[in-house]
Amino acid sequence: MEDKRNIQIIEWEHLDKKKFYVFGVAMTMMIRVSVYPFTLIRTHLQVQKGKSLYHGTFDAFIKILRADGVTGLYRGFLVNTFTLISGQCYVTTYELTRKFVADYSQSNTVKSLVAGGSASLVAQSITVPIDVVSQHLMMQRKGEKMGRFQVRGNPEGQGIVAFGQTKDIIRQILRADGLRGFYRGYVASLLTYIPNSAVWWPFYHFYAGIIFPLIPEQLSSLCPKECPHIVFQAISGPLAAATASILTNPMDVIRTRVQVEGKNSIILTFRQLMAEEGPWGLMKGLSARIISATPSTIVIVVGYESLKKLSLRPELVDSRHW
């Protein structure tokens, strides 16, 4: 009898592409709604000087909620939804690159590493301009100025809303930096997300018990043979995300400061951060990042693996174990 603990990876050629994209957009939107508040909190923590405004993730959550209400946790969300495009480009690039690399190497580690890095390169080229605008919107708070740009209020003293704020921020970026302003921090983003993505996929497969079958103490060996694959895939995702977050958080802090504070040099930003806050400054926002990554990665992994199973070509449906 086949050992069902042997997880078979669903590759690009196994998928019904129409189902894959329709289900994929819906899944990505649900994930973004659930994790966006933590993304906003992480941005606030990384941009603040020392602990001038917030003393941690929970403190930031309470203060933002009290000052701006629930809507304050979703500042810039409408703009951020345009990253749905980059999300679909990411998964397409990842799957196609895996297929391409398979012609040269059968190592799942190599395929995951190359595909993850390539997918992030493509996605970040689309995401960075959206990120720049949405991050500036995230930093808008009553009576405080944390970023370079401040949305101007209307004559009654109230802030303009929704896409009015977005247009105002876009105009200010264009006036200050021109079109290049929308790619501020692009190199820092690549240095953050390419390694993060390249590391996440191999660790994900490792923790799920795929890459290193000769290592006895893996998650798959702790589960009974009839245990659904999706269970230890859901456990493996957050473990991989935490590992990748710890390794790449220093660059993420620098990336955020470059984009929000308008800095031009990664090296000078790093030196300033070290001088002002020391090595611990490179770990700012890590807890918020891991907290947001844990539920989001569970949803992403369960959603993505379920998406691929639901998108299987009809003749392959019975050949994959859930």
Side-chain angles (χ1 to χ4, degrees), residues 250-251 253-255 257-258 263 265-279 281-282:
M251 200 64 230
V253 174
I254 294 170
R255 173 193 67 86
R257 291 205 169 194
V258 167
K263 299 181 183 296
S265 170
I266 294 173
I267 295 174
L268 290 178
T269 303
F270 170 75
R271 287 176 178 169
Q272 182 182 358
L273 181 64
M274 291 294 288
E276 292 176 352
E277 305 184 44
L282 297 171

Short mmCIF file of all heavy atoms in Angstrom, two decimals, residues 250-251 253-255 257-258 263 265-279 281-282:
data_model
loop_
_atom_site.label_atom_id
_atom_site.label_comp_id
_atom_site.label_asym_id
_atom_site.label_seq_id
_atom_site.Cartn_x
_atom_site.Cartn_y
_atom_site.Cartn_z
N PRO A 250 16.37 42.29 9.11
CA PRO A 250 17.24 43.49 9.04
C PRO A 250 17.08 44.26 7.74
O PRO A 250 16.98 45.49 7.74
CB PRO A 250 18.64 42.91 9.19
CG PRO A 250 18.44 41.68 10.01
CD PRO A 250 17.14 41.11 9.52
N MET A 251 17.03 43.53 6.62
CA MET A 251 16.88 44.21 5.33
C MET A 251 15.48 44.79 5.18
O MET A 251 15.29 45.83 4.53
CB MET A 251 17.16 43.22 4.20
CG MET A 251 17.50 43.87 2.87
SD MET A 251 19.03 44.82 2.95
CE MET A 251 18.47 46.36 2.23
N VAL A 253 13.67 46.15 7.61
CA VAL A 253 13.67 47.41 8.35
C VAL A 253 14.29 48.52 7.50
O VAL A 253 13.74 49.62 7.39
CB VAL A 253 14.45 47.28 9.68
CG1 VAL A 253 14.56 48.63 10.39
CG2 VAL A 253 13.76 46.28 10.61
N ILE A 254 15.42 48.21 6.89
CA ILE A 254 16.11 49.20 6.05
C ILE A 254 15.24 49.57 4.85
O ILE A 254 15.11 50.74 4.49
CB ILE A 254 17.48 48.65 5.59
CG1 ILE A 254 18.40 48.50 6.82
CG2 ILE A 254 18.11 49.55 4.55
CD1 ILE A 254 19.67 47.74 6.54
N ARG A 255 14.63 48.57 4.22
CA ARG A 255 13.75 48.82 3.07
C ARG A 255 12.62 49.77 3.45
O ARG A 255 12.35 50.73 2.71
CB ARG A 255 13.15 47.49 2.59
CG ARG A 255 12.09 47.65 1.50
CD ARG A 255 11.32 46.36 1.30
NE ARG A 255 10.50 46.03 2.46
CZ ARG A 255 9.28 46.48 2.67
NH1 ARG A 255 8.72 47.30 1.79
NH2 ARG A 255 8.60 46.12 3.73
N ARG A 257 12.44 51.98 5.86
CA ARG A 257 12.93 53.34 6.14
C ARG A 257 13.32 54.06 4.85
O ARG A 257 13.07 55.26 4.70
CB ARG A 257 14.12 53.27 7.10
CG ARG A 257 13.71 52.84 8.49
CD ARG A 257 14.67 53.34 9.53
NE ARG A 257 14.12 53.15 10.86
CZ ARG A 257 14.60 53.73 11.95
NH1 ARG A 257 15.64 54.55 11.86
NH2 ARG A 257 14.05 53.51 13.12
N VAL A 258 13.92 53.35 3.93
CA VAL A 258 14.30 53.96 2.65
C VAL A 258 13.05 54.46 1.93
O VAL A 258 13.03 55.58 1.39
CB VAL A 258 15.06 52.95 1.77
CG1 VAL A 258 15.17 53.45 0.32
CG2 VAL A 258 16.46 52.71 2.33
N LYS A 263 15.01 58.11 1.91
CA LYS A 263 16.47 58.01 1.88
C LYS A 263 16.92 57.42 0.54
O LYS A 263 16.18 56.69 -0.12
CB LYS A 263 16.96 57.15 3.05
CG LYS A 263 16.59 57.75 4.41
CD LYS A 263 17.11 56.89 5.54
CE LYS A 263 16.68 57.44 6.89
NZ LYS A 263 17.25 58.75 7.18
N SER A 265 20.23 55.96 0.13
CA SER A 265 21.32 55.00 0.26
C SER A 265 21.00 53.93 1.29
O SER A 265 20.66 54.24 2.44
CB SER A 265 22.61 55.73 0.68
OG SER A 265 23.62 54.81 1.03
N ILE A 266 21.08 52.68 0.86
CA ILE A 266 20.88 51.56 1.77
C ILE A 266 21.97 51.54 2.84
O ILE A 266 21.71 51.35 4.03
CB ILE A 266 20.88 50.23 0.99
CG1 ILE A 266 19.67 50.16 0.06
CG2 ILE A 266 20.88 49.03 1.95
CD1 ILE A 266 19.67 48.97 -0.87
N ILE A 267 23.21 51.78 2.41
CA ILE A 267 24.35 51.73 3.33
C ILE A 267 24.25 52.83 4.39
O ILE A 267 24.46 52.58 5.59
CB ILE A 267 25.68 51.83 2.56
CG1 ILE A 267 25.85 50.60 1.66
CG2 ILE A 267 26.86 51.96 3.54
CD1 ILE A 267 27.05 50.67 0.75
N LEU A 268 23.94 54.07 3.95
CA LEU A 268 23.81 55.17 4.91
C LEU A 268 22.64 54.95 5.86
O LEU A 268 22.73 55.28 7.05
CB LEU A 268 23.64 56.49 4.16
CG LEU A 268 24.87 57.00 3.41
CD1 LEU A 268 24.56 58.30 2.68
CD2 LEU A 268 26.05 57.21 4.37
N THR A 269 21.54 54.38 5.35
CA THR A 269 20.40 54.07 6.21
C THR A 269 20.79 53.05 7.26
O THR A 269 20.44 53.16 8.45
CB THR A 269 19.22 53.53 5.38
OG1 THR A 269 18.88 54.50 4.37
CG2 THR A 269 18.01 53.26 6.25
N PHE A 270 21.55 52.05 6.84
CA PHE A 270 22.03 51.02 7.77
C PHE A 270 22.93 51.63 8.84
O PHE A 270 22.77 51.35 10.05
CB PHE A 270 22.80 49.94 6.99
CG PHE A 270 23.54 48.96 7.86
CD1 PHE A 270 22.86 47.97 8.56
CD2 PHE A 270 24.92 49.03 7.98
CE1 PHE A 270 23.54 47.07 9.36
CE2 PHE A 270 25.61 48.14 8.79
CZ PHE A 270 24.92 47.16 9.48
N ARG A 271 23.86 52.48 8.43
CA ARG A 271 24.78 53.10 9.38
C ARG A 271 24.04 53.99 10.38
O ARG A 271 24.33 53.98 11.58
CB ARG A 271 25.84 53.92 8.63
CG ARG A 271 26.87 53.06 7.91
CD ARG A 271 27.83 53.93 7.12
NE ARG A 271 28.86 53.14 6.46
CZ ARG A 271 29.69 53.62 5.55
NH1 ARG A 271 29.61 54.90 5.18
NH2 ARG A 271 30.59 52.83 4.98
N GLN A 272 23.07 54.75 9.88
CA GLN A 272 22.29 55.63 10.76
C GLN A 272 21.49 54.81 11.77
O GLN A 272 21.43 55.15 12.96
CB GLN A 272 21.34 56.50 9.94
CG GLN A 272 20.54 57.48 10.79
CD GLN A 272 19.56 58.30 9.97
OE1 GLN A 272 19.51 58.17 8.75
NE2 GLN A 272 18.79 59.14 10.63
N LEU A 273 20.89 53.72 11.30
CA LEU A 273 20.11 52.86 12.18
C LEU A 273 21.00 52.25 13.27
O LEU A 273 20.62 52.21 14.45
CB LEU A 273 19.44 51.75 11.36
CG LEU A 273 18.55 50.77 12.12
CD1 LEU A 273 17.35 51.48 12.72
CD2 LEU A 273 18.09 49.65 11.19
N MET A 274 22.17 51.79 12.87
CA MET A 274 23.10 51.20 13.84
C MET A 274 23.57 52.24 14.85
O MET A 274 23.70 51.95 16.06
CB MET A 274 24.30 50.59 13.11
CG MET A 274 23.96 49.35 12.30
SD MET A 274 23.45 47.95 13.32
CE MET A 274 25.03 47.50 14.05
N ALA A 275 23.83 53.46 14.39
CA ALA A 275 24.30 54.52 15.29
C ALA A 275 23.22 54.94 16.28
O ALA A 275 23.50 55.20 17.45
CB ALA A 275 24.76 55.73 14.46
N GLU A 276 21.98 55.00 15.81
CA GLU A 276 20.88 55.46 16.66
C GLU A 276 20.34 54.38 17.58
O GLU A 276 19.97 54.66 18.73
CB GLU A 276 19.73 56.00 15.79
CG GLU A 276 20.07 57.27 15.04
CD GLU A 276 18.93 57.70 14.12
OE1 GLU A 276 17.97 56.91 13.96
OE2 GLU A 276 19.01 58.81 13.56
N GLU A 277 20.27 53.14 17.09
CA GLU A 277 19.56 52.12 17.86
C GLU A 277 20.35 50.83 18.06
O GLU A 277 19.87 49.93 18.77
CB GLU A 277 18.22 51.81 17.18
CG GLU A 277 17.38 53.07 17.00
CD GLU A 277 16.01 52.76 16.41
OE1 GLU A 277 15.40 51.79 16.86
OE2 GLU A 277 15.57 53.50 15.53
N GLY A 278 21.52 50.72 17.46
CA GLY A 278 22.33 49.53 17.65
C GLY A 278 21.78 48.33 16.90
O GLY A 278 20.78 48.43 16.17
N PRO A 279 22.38 47.15 17.10
CA PRO A 279 21.97 45.94 16.38
C PRO A 279 20.50 45.57 16.58
O PRO A 279 19.87 45.02 15.67
CB PRO A 279 22.89 44.85 16.95
CG PRO A 279 24.08 45.60 17.46
CD PRO A 279 23.56 46.91 17.95
N GLY A 281 18.05 47.42 16.57
CA GLY A 281 17.21 48.17 15.65
C GLY A 281 16.88 47.38 14.39
O GLY A 281 15.87 47.63 13.73
N LEU A 282 17.75 46.43 14.05
CA LEU A 282 17.55 45.61 12.86
C LEU A 282 16.45 44.57 13.06
O LEU A 282 16.00 43.94 12.10
CB LEU A 282 18.85 44.90 12.47
CG LEU A 282 20.01 45.82 12.08
CD1 LEU A 282 21.29 45.02 11.93
CD2 LEU A 282 19.69 46.57 10.77
#
